[in-house]
Amino acid sequence: MTTSWLETQQIESYLLGTASGEDRALFAARLLLEPELKANTSRQESAYAVINEYGRQKLRQEIEEVSRMLLTTNKYQAFNRMILGIFRK
Amino acid sequence: MNSNPTVSVPQTERKVVLEALYRKAFPLVARHISKTGGTLEEAKDVFHDALVIYMEKTAVSGIELMHSEKSYIFGIAKHLWSKNSSQNKRQASQNVHTVEPRLPEEGYHEIETPKLLELLKSTGQKCLDLLSAFYYEKMDMERLANKFGFSGARSATVQKHKCLEKIKTAVKVKSLQYDDFLA
């Protein structure tokens, strides 16, 4: 499957909401008339979902690393003690 | 006005931002959650969800914050916590994330994102790194080229296009396999 650069860009503008009103309306009409374009657009939308999920996982991983560093290492003992103190009944 | 840290900073720089935000905002969130009967683990979960939302919001919209970033993150965490508490649900943050509009489908089967992602992690990690830097972290082409060692924005753009096509092909293959399975 190879998609032209132009078509990929058009799909991207439509899906990411950067297309102008006129382009958007035109593209929406094409989606009704061209099943292959519709399938291609769906694939691209799924691709964005996968990419965003990957980005979010990486961000979460970094937050976990920062959390571990601040709450378990000697370097940040004072911070860790302060947090533990908050939860001491 | 506060600095506006976004997801669009290089990895190490982003960690510095995350550390600063953690140190500034987590004690505030922890106190609130402790006062309302929560545990440290719950406070961490809610705070991490709030940080993700904050980083995504600031990256996508480049919003100028009216209040300090600490207050903003605290506001998100408080909202998530009250939602969790009232609904007794650990998945509350999912509903706060922006849901992008989806096309009405006919004859197209939704590909399960987690499964496809696992597959792509083993075959297309470099492409995922490149694409997530652009689409998720909102990094511009110049910085992207610099980070990934391309000669310039143009070659980074070409590679981005190839990578996106690669992911779309994987989506198509998965979709066909799903069709076969149903047949």
Side-chain angles (χ1 to χ4, degrees), chain A residues 12 54 56-57 62 65, chain B residues 11 15 56 125 129 135:
Chain A
E12 179 156 315
Y54 179 73
R56 191 171 290 147
Q57 282 184 11
E62 273 182 58
E65 285 167 17
Chain B
Q11 220 65 264
K15 254 191 179 162
E56 287 183 356
Q125 179 104 29
D129 283 332
Y135 290 107

Side-chain angles (χ1 to χ4, degrees), chain A residues 5-86:
Chain A
W5 182 299
L6 180 66
E7 186 164 295
T8 301
Q9 284 307 113
Q10 287 172 338
I11 295 171
E12 179 156 315
S13 301
Y14 176 77
L15 289 177
L16 302 186
T18 55
S20 69
E22 194 184 338
D23 286 347
R24 197 174 167 73
L26 191 64
F27 191 89
R30 283 182 61 203
L31 281 178
L32 293 174
L33 300 169
E34 300 174 37
E36 182 46 39
L37 177 66
K38 187 175 172 180
N40 194 8
T41 304
S42 294
R43 285 194 287 273
Q44 198 156 321
E45 191 177 35
S46 294
Y48 293 145
V50 170
I51 294 160
N52 281 330
E53 182 54 31
Y54 179 73
R56 191 171 290 147
Q57 282 184 11
K58 271 176 70 178
L59 177 60
R60 281 193 178 278
Q61 207 177 320
E62 273 182 58
I63 293 172
E64 287 293 340
E65 285 167 17
V66 168
S67 176
R68 255 197 308 279
M69 180 183 77
L70 290 175
L71 299 175
T72 61
T73 59
N74 283 340
K75 191 180 168 192
Y76 298 96
Q77 238 176 26
F79 182 79
N80 188 15
R81 264 204 299 269
M82 186 244 290
I83 297 296
L84 288 177
I86 292 172

Side-chain angles (χ1 to χ4, degrees), chain B residues 16-136:
Chain B
V16 173
V17 170
L18 288 172
E19 184 192 327
L21 291 174
Y22 214 106
R23 295 177 71 165
K24 272 197 271 183
F26 186 55
L28 202 61
V29 173
R31 267 184 213 105
H32 174 72
I33 290 185
S34 173
K35 257 191 232 165
T36 48
T39 64
L40 174 57
E41 279 310 306
E42 285 172 320
K44 272 162 60 179
D45 285 346
V46 166
F47 183 68
H48 293 189
D49 285 348
L51 261 186
V52 169
I53 292 168
Y54 170 79
M55 296 295 276
E56 287 183 356
K57 291 282 179 203
T58 51
V60 171
S61 55
I63 50 170
E64 282 282 312
L65 297 178
M66 297 293 286
H67 305 286
S68 74
E69 57 218 4
K70 186 168 79 173
S71 312
Y72 192 77
I73 294 169
F74 177 64
I76 301 171
K78 209 171 152 186
H79 173 73
L80 291 176
W81 177 240
S82 81
K83 225 173 163 178
N84 277 1
S85 304
S86 61
Q87 296 175 358
N88 196 20
K89 246 166 83 177
R90 305 293 309 133
Q91 299 292 331
S93 68
Q94 295 295 321
N95 303 329
V96 179
H97 289 137
T98 312
V99 178
E100 284 160 18
R102 299 204 58 91
L103 293 169
E105 300 302 334
E106 278 170 33
Y108 175 78
H109 303 293
E110 178 88 14
I111 310 301
E112 246 188 275
T113 300
K115 278 186 188 166
L116 186 57
L117 181 55
E118 285 314 306
L119 175 81
L120 284 165
K121 273 184 187 171
S122 59
T123 60
Q125 179 104 29
K126 276 185 185 171
C127 272
L128 282 174
D129 283 332
L130 179 75
L131 292 169
S132 72
F134 182 77
Y135 290 107
Y136 183 74

